[in-house]
Amino acid sequence: MRAGLAALLALALTRTEPLQAQEPAGAIVFKTCQSCHSLDPAKTGMAGPHLAGLKGRVLGSADGFDYSPAFRAARAQGLSWDDEKLKAYLADPDTIVPGGWMSPPAGFSVADRVAVADYLLSK
């Protein structure tokens, strides 16, 4: 038993990096979205709007982004983001905002869409 404890202690002492919590799956999937979107509302000039505070936010309402006419119409109707809308949008953007300028994310599985939607709605 002492040999096992000594080996465990030796292993712990040789670790040079701190233990970190594993990233949520949605955060990992979101990295593919970061070429167009940010979670920082102050980051402007991207191809897509920031996605901070998405849960309950009215579609097409992020400050500083020039939305498509389709998104401006959705904003005028007062439609807001929720779990169901976001997952449907990620599967096929035209089902929620026809003509909204975003293509479906390439290569996303159902599990990827669920994970990134859950992640974004928590930010």
Side-chain angles (χ1 to χ4, degrees):
M1 179 146 177
R2 281 188 174 175
L5 288 174
L8 185 57
L9 180 58
L11 177 63
L13 292 174
T14 61
R15 284 192 66 86
T16 57
E17 74 278 353
L19 292 176
Q20 297 178 358
Q22 186 176 358
E23 277 186 290
I28 295 166
V29 175
F30 181 67
K31 288 178 182 181
T32 64
C33 308
Q34 289 178 324
S35 60
C36 295
H37 298 281
S38 174
L39 287 175
D40 180 356
K43 191 166 184 178
T44 59
M46 298 189 81
H50 76 79
L51 301 178
L54 197 59
K55 185 175 186 173
R57 186 169 88 194
V58 174
L59 277 69
S61 67
D63 288 337
F65 188 76
D66 183 24
Y67 284 96
S68 68
F71 261 99
R72 290 193 294 263
R75 178 179 58 216
Q77 293 174 25
L79 299 176
S80 60
W81 289 112
D82 60 23
D83 186 61
E84 183 179 318
K85 263 192 208 75
L86 183 55
K87 287 174 184 169
Y89 186 78
L90 292 171
D92 181 2
D94 280 339
T95 62
I96 302 299
V97 185
W101 295 348
M102 185 172 130
S103 300
F108 275 23
S109 67
V110 172
D112 291 338
R113 291 193 301 269
V114 168
V116 80
D118 290 345
Y119 176 72
L120 290 174
L121 292 172
S122 73
K123 296 293 170 195

